[in-house]
C-alpha cells in the first residue's frame, strides 16, 4: 500500500521495494522529469564517484578530508549495511527518518505518473536532503555503471572512476571494454575525470577524447608513492587514496589535500563492511562487501598478508547477476569451509543454488544456511579459538 503523509520510513521503504520486481531499470528520462519539477539548487561542487570497486571507500576518504578542511559535505552511497539512513549522510551523520520521509513526500508531491525505481527514489531524496542542508560539496556514488545511472542525471564538477572490472555483466556488458564505456558515460566536457587504476581500458581514453573531458591518469598525472596509508584495510586503499587526492585537487578543493591534513586524516578513516574487523571470544570476524572476482582478489590479498595457522570460514551471499564461480575460485585458496545463505532482495541468489555453484568450482562441499542468523550460528559452532570468520558477498 502506498504510504500517506506522515507514514514512517519503514512503510516507505517497504512500498519502494514493490515498485520494480528487478529493482534495476536503467535510464535517465524518469529522473530528469522529476528533477525538473523539484527545481533543486545544486551545490557549488558535485563530485561523482563511479567504478567497479572502491567507490564507498573513496567517498569515505573524500568526505573525511573535505570535512577536515572545513567544507560541509553530503555523501550519497549504496547499498547500506544496517540501516537505510546510511545512504544519505550530512556532515558525517546519517539523515534521520523524518528528514528522509520529508524528501520522499516532496518527490510524491510532484511525481504524478512518472514511475521511479527504489534507487531512483533514493537518489532524488538524497539530492533534496542535501539541497535543504545548504552544503558545500555533494559526493554522489554511482549505483551501477554510469551512463544510465540515476546519479548521472546531475552534471558533476569532478569525477572519479576508481577502476573497471567484470561486474553486473547482465546489465553493462560482457567484457571490460563494454563496461568501461558505460562507466565513462559520467564524463562531461571540460570536467576533470580521474581514473584510479593503472590498467586503463581503451574505452576510457576514447570517451575522454570524444567528450572533451580532462582525463587524469595514475602515475602520468598523479603519483601513488608517498600517499599515507588509510585506516581502511588493504594495501590497495593507498591507490584509492591517491585517486581521491587527485580528484579533490583537480576539482578546485586543494585545501583538502594539504600534506599535514592528509597525514592526520587518512589513517583515521574507517568504513563498516570494508575490511571491518571484530574480535569476539577468541574468534576474528572480518566483514567485507567484496562481490566480484576483482574485489575477491583484493580480499584474498588481505587474507594472504595475515598468514597463520588460523582456519578461515567464509559466509557468503550473492545477487543473481554476480560471477559466483570467479569469486569463489579466487578466495578458495584461503577458505577451509564455505557457508552459503540468501541475500536480501528480489535479485538474491537462493542459498541452495549458490552452494551448488561454489561446490562445483571448489570441489568441496558448501554448507547451506536458511537465514543470515543461521549462517552466523553455524560459523560460530564450526570455529575454534584463533579461527577467522569472513562475512562477504553482496
Amino acid at each position: 500500500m502506498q504510504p500517506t503523509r506522515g507514514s514512517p520510513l519503514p512503510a516507505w521503504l517497504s512500498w519502494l521495494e514493490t515498485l520494480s520486481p528487478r529493482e534495476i531499470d536503467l535510464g535517465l528520462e524518469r529522473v530528469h522529469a522529476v528533477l525538473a519539477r523539484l527545481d533543486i539548487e545544486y551545490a557549488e561542487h558535485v563530485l561523482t564517484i563511479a567504478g567497479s570497486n572502491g567507490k564507498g571507500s573513496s567517498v569515505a576518504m573524500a568526505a573525511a578530508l573535505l570535512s577536515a578542511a572545513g567544507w560541509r559535505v553530503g555523501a550519497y552511497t549504496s547499498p547500506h549495511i544496517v540501516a537505510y539512513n546510511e545512504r544519505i549522510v550530512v556532515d558525517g551523520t546519517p539523515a534521520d527518518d523524518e528528514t528522509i520521509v520529508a524528501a520522499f513526500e516532496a518527490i510524491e508531491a510532484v511525481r504524478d505518473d512518472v514511475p521511479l525505481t527504489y534507487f531512483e527514489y533514493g537518489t532524488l531524496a538524497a539530492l533534496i536532503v542535501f539541497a535543504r542542508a545548504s552544503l558545500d560539496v555533494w559526493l554522489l556514488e554511482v549505483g551501477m555503471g554510469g551512463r544510465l545511472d540515476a546519479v548521472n542525471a546531475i552534471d558533476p564538477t569532478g569525477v572519479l572512476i576508481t577502476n573497471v572490472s567484470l561486474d553486473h555483466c547482465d546489465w553493462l556488458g560482457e567484457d571490460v571494454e563494454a563496461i568501461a564505456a558505460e562507466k565513462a558515460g559520467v564524463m562531461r566536457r571540460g570536467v576533470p575525470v580521474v581514473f584510479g587504476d593503472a590498467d586503463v581500458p581503451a574505452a576510457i581514453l576514447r570517451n575522454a577524447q570524444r567528450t572533451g573531458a580532462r582525463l587524469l591518469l595514475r602515475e602520468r598525472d598523479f603519483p601513488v608513492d608517498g600517499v599515507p596509508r588509510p585506516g581502511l584495510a588493504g594495501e590497495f586503499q593507498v591507490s584509492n587514496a591517491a585517486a581521491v587526492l587527485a580528484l579533490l585537487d583537480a576539482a578546485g578543493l586543494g585545501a583538502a589535500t594539504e600534506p599535514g591534513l592528509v597525514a592526520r586524516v587518512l589513517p583515521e578513516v574507517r568504513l563498516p563492511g570494508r575490511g571491518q574487523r571484530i574480535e569476539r571470544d577468541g574468534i576474528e570476524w572480518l566483514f567485507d562487501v567484496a562481490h566480484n572476482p576483482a574485489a575477491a582478489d583484493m580480499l584474498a590479498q588481505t587474507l594472504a598478508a595475515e598468514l597463520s595457522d588460523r582456519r578461515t570460514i567464509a559466509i557468503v551471499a550473492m545477487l543473481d547477476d554476480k560471477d559466483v564461480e570467479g569469486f569463489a575460485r579466487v578466495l578458495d585458496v584461503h577458505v577451509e569451509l564455505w557457508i552459503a545463505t540468501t541475500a536480501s532482495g528480489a535479485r538474491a541468489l537462493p542459498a541452495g543454488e549458490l552452494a551448488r555453484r561454489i561446490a562445483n568450482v571448489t570441489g568441496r562441499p558448501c554448507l547451506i544456511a536458511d537465514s543470515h542468523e543461521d549462517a552466523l550460528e553455524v560459523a560460530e559452532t564450526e570455529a575454534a579459538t584463533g579461527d577467522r570468520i569472513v562475512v562477504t558477498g553482496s
Side-chain angles (χ1 to χ4, degrees):
M1 179 181 297
Q2 183 169 351
T4 58
R5 189 168 188 83
S7 294
L9 181 58
W12 277 96
L13 297 178
S14 295
W15 177 66
L16 294 182
E17 289 172 353
T18 70
L19 298 184
S20 177
R22 294 285 300 170
E23 297 183 20
I24 298 170
D25 188 6
L26 297 176
L28 299 179
E29 296 83 2
R30 299 177 301 276
V31 177
H32 277 308
V34 179
L35 270 176
R37 299 171 189 177
L38 288 169
D39 193 26
I40 293 173
E41 183 175 349
Y42 304 144
E44 179 181 358
H45 302 280
V46 178
L47 306 183
T48 294
I49 315 297
S52 296
N53 297 300
K55 297 189 295 293
S57 299
S58 297
V59 170
M61 287 186 277
L65 291 166
L66 289 165
S67 295
W71 279 287
R72 298 193 65 228
V73 182
Y76 173 57
T77 59
S78 64
H80 56 275
I81 302 296
V82 177
Y84 184 89
N85 311 63
E86 300 165 24
R87 297 180 179 228
I88 305 174
V89 174
V90 176
D91 279 340
T93 301
D96 59 34
D97 287 11
E98 292 74 17
T99 299
I100 297 174
V101 167
F104 285 154
E105 291 177 344
I107 295 168
E108 278 302 290
V110 301
R111 183 176 66 89
D112 292 333
D113 60 347
V114 178
L116 294 172
T117 67
Y118 181 100
F119 184 76
E120 289 167 346
Y121 262 95
T123 302
L124 290 167
L127 302 181
I128 293 170
V129 171
F130 294 164
R132 290 177 174 176
S134 300
L135 302 174
D136 303 310
V137 185
W138 295 359
L139 299 171
L140 306 179
E141 179 188 337
V142 169
M144 180 186 294
R147 181 175 64 92
L148 297 176
D149 187 86
V151 164
N152 202 35
I154 311 301
D155 287 331
T157 56
V159 171
L160 168 59
I161 302 175
T162 57
N163 48 59
V164 179
S165 62
L166 294 176
D167 195 16
H168 300 297
C169 294
D170 289 349
W171 304 93
L172 303 180
E174 294 297 328
D175 57 58
V176 166
E177 287 297 334
I179 294 171
E182 290 296 318
K183 295 187 184 300
V186 298
M187 295 180 178
R188 301 291 196 278
R189 178 171 296 279
V191 172
V193 177
V194 174
F195 189 78
D197 197 10
D199 186 10
V200 187
I204 295 294
L205 301 172
R206 187 167 57 248
N207 275 272
Q209 184 175 28
R210 179 182 61 80
T211 61
R214 183 158 61 91
L215 183 62
L216 303 174
L217 300 179
R218 174 174 161 178
E219 301 303 345
R220 187 193 75 179
D221 301 299
F222 64 93
V224 173
D225 290 345
V227 174
R229 179 165 180 168
L232 300 163
E235 190 63 36
F236 58 87
Q237 294 289 3
V238 176
S239 296
N240 287 338
V244 167
L245 294 174
L247 169 67
L248 298 180
D249 188 60
L253 298 161
T257 68
E258 190 276 324
L261 182 147
V262 172
R264 173 172 57 86
V265 172
L266 279 186
E268 298 301 317
V269 176
R270 302 288 189 276
L271 190 60
R274 277 74 166 183
Q276 180 183 5
R277 300 172 189 274
I278 297 175
E279 191 80 25
R280 190 175 73 175
D281 299 329
I283 297 171
E284 182 187 70
W285 292 78
L286 176 61
F287 299 87
D288 194 271
V289 293
H291 57 264
N292 57 40
D297 183 61
M298 295 176 186
L299 176 56
Q301 291 177 36
T302 299
L303 298 177
E306 303 169 352
L307 290 175
S308 68
D309 294 333
R310 70 174 57 193
R311 182 167 171 255
T312 298
I313 299 169
I315 299 173
V316 61
M318 301 287 275
L319 299 183
D320 62 7
D321 63 343
K322 303 303 179 185
D323 180 1
V324 173
E325 287 77 11
F327 178 89
R329 188 177 293 111
V330 170
L331 275 184
D332 189 53
V333 66
H334 302 289
V335 175
E336 282 72 35
L337 175 64
W338 290 91
I339 303 171
T341 185
T342 304
S344 302
R347 293 164 50 221
L349 188 64
E353 174 64 11
L354 175 59
R356 183 189 67 79
R357 292 170 63 177
I358 290 174
N360 282 348
V361 74
T362 64
R364 296 186 286 117
C366 175
L367 301 183
I368 300 172
D370 292 332
S371 67
H372 301 330
E373 292 77 13
D374 287 345
L376 298 176
E377 289 181 12
V378 170
E380 285 188 304
T381 300
E382 293 286 341
T385 300
D387 284 349
R388 171 173 56 196
I389 300 174
V390 178
V391 182
T392 187
S394 49

